[in-house]
Amino acid sequence: MTYLRQGAQTGSVTNIGFLMPCHSTPFYSHLHANIPMWFLSCEPPLLASGLNTHYWEAGEFEQRPNEFVHAMFANTSTSTHREKPSHLVLYDAMVVRVQKTLNEVGYVEDVRFFNTHFNGDERRRGDVVVYRYSNPLVQ
């Protein structure tokens, strides 16, 4: 987060999207900058009876990451649509599944940081990888 915080202070990081499992980042508490940020939704259903049909954005990304990224940045008004942030953050475990798609929509790997030696959650394995939007001509 230090890298992103410093980038926000210099203006090279203008908004951030986190393509990570729920509760993976300290978000504003470490960034200390007033820039737009978002993360994949993962709020629980209001009633236990809705558990089987409830939509989790984080779950959809995990199951279909390439389709999710294309839908998220498509020029349509879908429920997952978002403006392209200057930077995306994800774990290395997901990079191998979605790297080509990120490149197709205009992102290049910017920097990676050591995460942990041990992690019981496969989705959080490997480095934390930051992608930078580099091609405004890509739609």
Side-chain angles (χ1 to χ4, degrees):
M1 290 297 280
T2 301
Y3 174 80
L4 295 171
R5 179 176 54 238
Q6 291 171 343
Q9 291 170 350
T10 64
S12 63
V13 175
T14 57
N15 48 14
I16 306 167
F18 293 90
L19 295 173
M20 303 174 122
C22 300
H23 312 293
S24 293
T25 175
F27 219 53
Y28 284 112
S29 68
H30 279 53
L31 192 65
H32 304 294
N34 188 19
I35 64 171
M37 295 194 302
W38 53 262
F39 54 88
L40 300 173
S41 68
C42 59
E43 59 275 346
L46 295 175
L47 302 172
S49 61
L51 193 58
N52 291 333
T53 59
H54 186 67
Y55 174 76
W56 277 284
E57 206 174 40
E60 183 179 344
F61 176 67
E62 176 67 30
Q63 292 171 10
R64 304 176 327 112
N66 297 299
E67 294 88 348
F68 184 88
V69 168
H70 277 297
M72 183 171 52
F73 295 135
N75 291 327
T76 63
S77 58
T78 64
S79 61
T80 57
H81 175 75
R82 291 196 169 97
E83 296 299 319
K84 290 180 181 172
S86 66
H87 291 75
L88 288 171
V89 183
L90 58 157
Y91 289 109
D92 199 27
M94 183 56 75
V95 168
V96 297
R97 295 179 60 197
V98 77
Q99 180 177 16
K100 182 180 177 196
T101 301
L102 291 175
N103 294 151
E104 288 171 1
V105 296
Y107 287 91
V108 295
E109 186 175 319
D110 193 25
V111 66
R112 49 178 59 228
F113 300 99
F114 174 76
N115 180 30
T116 183
H117 286 292
F118 305 101
N119 196 323
D121 186 342
E122 290 289 326
R123 301 168 303 163
R124 291 180 167 95
R125 294 256 167 117
D127 295 336
V128 171
V129 185
V130 178
Y131 274 77
R132 175 179 40 84
Y133 186 62
S134 69
N135 189 352
L137 300 177
V138 173
Q139 295 298 322

